[in-house]
Structure formats: C-alpha cells, structure tokens
Amino acid sequence: MKSLKENFQKAHIVIIGSGIIGKFNALELSELGFRITIIDPAEQRNSSNAALGLLMGNIYQKKKGRSWDLRKQSVKLWPKWLKQLQEINNKLNIEKPLIQLTTNEKTFKKLEKFINENNDQSLKVLEKDSIIIENISKTFQTRNIKGIISYKDGRINAGTLLKTLDKYLKNKKINFIDEEIIKIRKSNNQWFSTTKSNKDIKSDMIILCNSLKAVDLIDNLLSHNIKLKPVLGQAIEVGINNVEVNLLTLPKQFNINGKNIIPISKNKLIIGSTDEYCTNPEKNIFEKITNFLDKKPTWLINGQVTKKWFGIRSRPEGEPSPIMKNLGDGLIICTGFYKNGILLAPACSKWVAKEIQNYFA
Ligand SMILES: Cc1cc2nc3c(=O)[nH]c(=O)nc-3n(C[C@H](O)[C@H](O)[C@H](O)COP(=O)(O)OP(=O)(O)OC[C@H]3O[C@@H](n4cnc5c(N)ncnc54)[C@H](O)[C@@H]3O)c2cc1C
C-alpha cells in the first residue's frame, strides 16, 4: 500500500493567486510533499504588496469566535515559519512591540478594561509618565494621549516577506505561471484552469486565492451565495524637514486613533491605512490620512508625501472574514481577507492543508 506522502507527491495542486495567501498555501503544502503550481499575472500589484505588515494578534480585543481562533493559531505558528524563512533571509524579522494609542477617554477606558480583564503579562496599559508616552506626546504636540502596549505583537516587513517566500518556493521547485485564469472546470476527474492565452493547466485540486476575482471563477460552475466587495487601503510615506524632530525616538510601530504609523528614519514615516468601499485612491489622501489628532503638529502640516500606494482588498458581504470553504470535489476557496491577511496566512493555510490531506487520505 502506498504511503500518504507518496499519494501527496503524485497529486498536482493549482493555486490561483500569488498574494500572501496563495504563497503561504504553497509553503504549507510544499512541506507536505505536494506538487504545486501557482498562477498569477499581476502579483507585484496586489494588496499584499501594499500591506504595512502589522501583526495584531494578542492585542485583538474580541477573545472568542472564529476570528480569535485564527489569530491565536497564527500567533503560535508565526515563530516557526519565521525561523524557517530566516534560513533564506536572516534580515526577515518581527519587530516588537505593538502600541495602540488614543486621545479619546471613552476608547481608552475600553482599552484599560480589556487589559484588566485579560490576565496576559504581555499586555499592559502604558503609564502616563512612561518614556514612550512622553516621546509621543512631545513629538505630536499633544497632552492627552494614552494607550496600551503588546510585547508579543509587532510588524513584519511585507515586501521582504513576499520576496523571501518567493525564494523559498523557488528552492522547493514550485512552478509559477505568469497568466490570468479565466475559467476553471472539472472533467474526467481532473481540474482544468484555462489561461487568457487559452492554455489548459491540469490538476487534481484547485485552491482559489485570487481575492475578489475568486467569485468570477465559480459563478458558472456551482450555485453559491459568496459575495465580495472591494475595500481600498491606502498608505503614504511622509518626509519632514524639521531638525528638532527625530522620528526615531518614537516606537517602531504604533497606532493613534486608528491610523497606523511606522517611523522609518529620523525624518520619514509611513502612515496607513484607510478603509473605503471603493477602488479609486483619493486625491486628498495626505489631508485625510494625517487628520488623526485635533491639532496636527507643525512638522506634519509641512510634511511632503514622498511615496503613496494603495491596495484593493476583498471583504465578504453577509458573512465574516475570511472565507475559507471546501466547495467539494477538489475545489477550495480561501479569500475575503480585507484586513489582517498577513497575520492570518499561517492559520488559514493550515486549515486548507487539513482539508486537502483529508481529500487524499
Ligand atoms: C494599505 C494596506 C495596508 C495593510 N496593512 C496590513 C497590515 O498591517 N497587516 C495585515 O495583516 N494586513 C494588512 N493589509 C491587508 C492585507 O494586505 C490583505 O489582507 C492581504 O494582502 C490579502 O492577501 P490575498 O493573497 O488574499 O490577496 P492579494 O494580495 O490581493 O492577492 C490576490 C492575487 O490574485 C491574483 N489574481 C486575481 N485574479 C486572478 C486570476 N483570474 N488568475 C490568476 N491570478 C489572479 C492577483 O493578481 C493577486 O496577486 C493591508 C492592506 C492594504 C491595502
């Protein structure tokens, strides 16, 4: 009798979409010995490349339900994957901690309650006279800033992560095809993914990791009620010209009143992201994204946008994010990551791998 691993080595799995979710699925499945092909015509322009890479695991306030289970599992899995990926690129790292700040007293009370009710030593309320609060208050010229810190959460550089994953997958001899899939179908026990140039790619299974477009591929194939809406996420890099301000005195990553802030040098920082149900980036992005305090500090008013970028995520309608479903007959959908796709990729690909192992067992 053949071993499971031998069965897996014979099976060919096509992954449509090479964002963080497609790549992580390939990573997980290649470890199990499957033969994998990833297909994507535009992976440099996807939402994964736009991500800021914040990993909001333990700091997430709703500690129950599927979303929490996925976060919890990902928080556990990340260190193992990081160690493995560091063998390819020792610069890849998770910078800790993660800080959440607010100038709203009601929001702060909620954060405080969350910390007090959770007996987690890695989560703390920031003391008013802590060096972190002092430096942030001084730089942002505000007095009523308060917040919490998570010593176990942090940030991974999404661009470096994606490049490292590419190298890892290349070493694992994963096949990449630079094409758009316009149709999928099953015939004689085999799946066929048809490219725009009319080539058919044969496989035993398909995993749909192509975000919004996943629905187009199943519309003519089966009856379903999966609905996805585009959500725009935007970020800017701001250069400042004020010798009295040193942005490197600030924490490595933090959030003030819902905006994520990442200082990258003495005089440059990244600010993101906005959530809008649209697909066109806004013209007045600087005004909108820097408007997170009652009064902007002068250095920020005079700041210059040195880079700006955006990404379109897919948000499920009528059901929680993400959508992870076994559609049967060797077809799996893993999409709808309108946020936290970087954080959740390890747990979601673990779920997919389990479904696939059961299919071939
Ligand atoms: C500005 C911004 C900041 C963000 N910050 C964070 C953060 O700090 N932390 C975090 O965890 N998440 C963050 N996110 C969210 C995160 O980027 C997403 O959750 C994640 O990228 C979703 O990954 P994905 O693989 O599902 O989709 P994508 O990265 O969009 O990949 C889908 C891929 O499918 C391909 N595709 C589509 N149709 C087809 C087809 N027919 N055939 C073949 N290929 C196809 C596309 O070309 C694309 O490459 C942020 C997003 C944005 C925009």
Side-chain angles (χ1 to χ4, degrees):
M1 209 171 109
K2 283 196 184 107
S3 72
L4 266 185
K5 185 114 186 172
E6 277 175 314
N7 272 350
F8 293 171
Q9 276 161 357
K10 278 193 161 178
H12 179 215
I13 300 175
V14 154
I15 298 177
I16 303 177
S18 185
I20 186 70
I21 301 302
K23 288 192 205 303
F24 240 93
N25 272 305
L27 178 68
E28 182 81 48
L29 294 171
S30 68
E31 293 292 301
L32 294 172
F34 287 104
R35 201 156 59 81
I36 317 257
T37 298
I38 308 186
I39 311 172
D40 194 322
E43 60 169 318
Q44 303 304 326
R45 300 190 297 277
N46 59 20
S47 81
S48 299
N49 278 285
L52 300 187
L54 298 165
L55 306 175
M56 297 182 78
N58 292 299
I59 209 164
Y60 184 63
Q61 286 170 54
K62 200 175 142 211
K63 297 265 191 241
K64 57 179 183 200
R66 188 185 70 140
S67 182
W68 170 238
D69 289 342
L70 289 173
R71 275 172 208 255
K72 211 167 44 177
Q73 209 189 345
S74 269
V75 166
K76 265 201 201 138
L77 290 168
W78 259 113
K80 175 204 143 202
W81 284 126
L82 184 66
K83 208 167 154 208
Q84 212 152 317
L85 293 169
Q86 278 171 338
E87 282 170 24
I88 304 272
N89 179 358
N90 59 15
K91 290 208 172 82
L92 188 72
N93 212 350
I94 298 179
E95 296 278 5
K96 294 173 188 169
L98 197 60
I99 291 167
Q100 194 173 346
L101 302 160
T102 178
T103 51
N104 180 301
E105 195 55 32
K106 225 167 131 188
T107 310
F108 176 65
K109 288 276 171 248
K110 269 196 197 158
L111 291 175
E112 209 177 27
K113 189 166 172 257
F114 159 67
I115 301 289
N116 293 336
E117 283 175 359
N118 277 281
N119 193 18
D120 182 340
Q121 290 308 305
S122 71
L123 293 167
K124 294 256 184 292
V125 174
L126 284 165
E127 300 292 334
K128 250 196 234 156
D129 56 357
S130 67
I131 188 83
I132 292 176
I133 292 288
E134 264 181 28
N135 284 344
I136 291 178
S137 305
K138 191 173 149 214
T139 308
F140 285 92
Q141 294 156 19
T142 179
R143 264 183 296 155
N144 54 349
I145 209 145
K146 290 174 178 177
I148 61 170
I149 182 163
S150 167
Y151 292 99
K152 279 199 189 150
D153 293 317
R155 175 182 178 245
I156 193 158
N157 184 308
T160 313
L161 170 65
L162 292 167
K163 279 194 198 116
T164 309
L165 282 169
D166 279 342
K167 265 197 195 160
Y168 192 99
L169 296 175
K170 209 171 162 194
N171 289 354
K172 286 270 176 183
K173 309 257 181 298
I174 304 294
N175 189 23
F176 274 89
I177 299 178
D178 191 358
E179 291 239 36
E180 183 186 353
I181 296 300
I182 53 163
K183 197 171 94 185
I184 56 171
R185 71 192 153 88
K186 194 162 187 187
S187 167
N188 294 332
N189 236 6
Q190 285 280 295
W191 279 99
F192 294 86
S193 303
T194 311
T195 68
K196 210 171 180 177
S197 59
N198 220 16
K199 269 187 265 160
D200 270 344
I201 294 141
K202 221 158 75 165
S203 65
D204 299 291
M205 282 196 89
I206 295 180
I207 315 172
L208 298 170
C209 301
N210 54 330
S211 194
L212 277 176
K213 302 284 172 133
V215 172
D216 298 353
L217 294 179
I218 56 170
D219 271 346
N220 298 327
L221 203 68
L222 46 100
S223 73
H224 68 89
N225 51 9
I226 300 172
K227 288 196 189 97
L228 294 166
K229 260 189 143 182
V231 180
L232 179 74
Q234 299 181 89
I236 55 172
E237 183 190 274
V238 182
I240 65 161
N241 193 4
N242 184 329
V243 285
E244 277 160 36
V245 175
N246 177 358
L247 298 171
L248 291 181
T249 61
L250 298 171
K252 292 210 160 77
Q253 50 270 326
F254 53 101
N255 178 300
I256 305 183
N257 293 337
K259 295 285 175 281
N260 293 319
I261 300 168
I262 302 159
I264 50 169
S265 72
K266 245 170 99 172
N267 51 13
K268 261 189 193 162
L269 49 69
I270 290 172
I271 313 177
S273 68
T274 51
D275 281 350
E276 312 281 344
Y277 278 117
C278 64
T279 49
N280 291 326
E282 288 156 65
K283 288 215 173 78
N284 68 342
I285 175 73
F286 178 75
E287 277 314 309
K288 196 158 180 193
I289 224 167
T290 55
N291 217 2
F292 51 88
L293 289 169
D294 289 341
K295 198 167 168 272
K296 265 188 226 179
T298 340
W299 57 264
L300 189 53
I301 295 175
N302 297 328
Q304 295 291 321
V305 176
T306 43
K307 262 190 216 163
K308 58 180 172 180
W309 64 95
F310 69 95
I312 311 287
R313 286 87 51 92
S314 54
R315 183 177 189 163
E317 257 197 312
E319 62 182 309
S321 161
I323 291 176
M324 302 190 310
K325 286 185 181 161
N326 188 340
L327 300 174
D329 230 8
L331 181 63
I332 288 183
I333 185 164
C334 190
T335 185
F337 294 82
Y338 81 99
K339 54 182 173 186
N340 295 309
I342 309 285
L343 169 71
L344 300 179
C348 295
S349 17
K350 188 111 234 118
W351 179 86
V352 171
K354 274 210 182 111
E355 293 296 308
I356 293 180
Q357 278 172 290
N358 289 340
Y359 184 79
F360 287 107

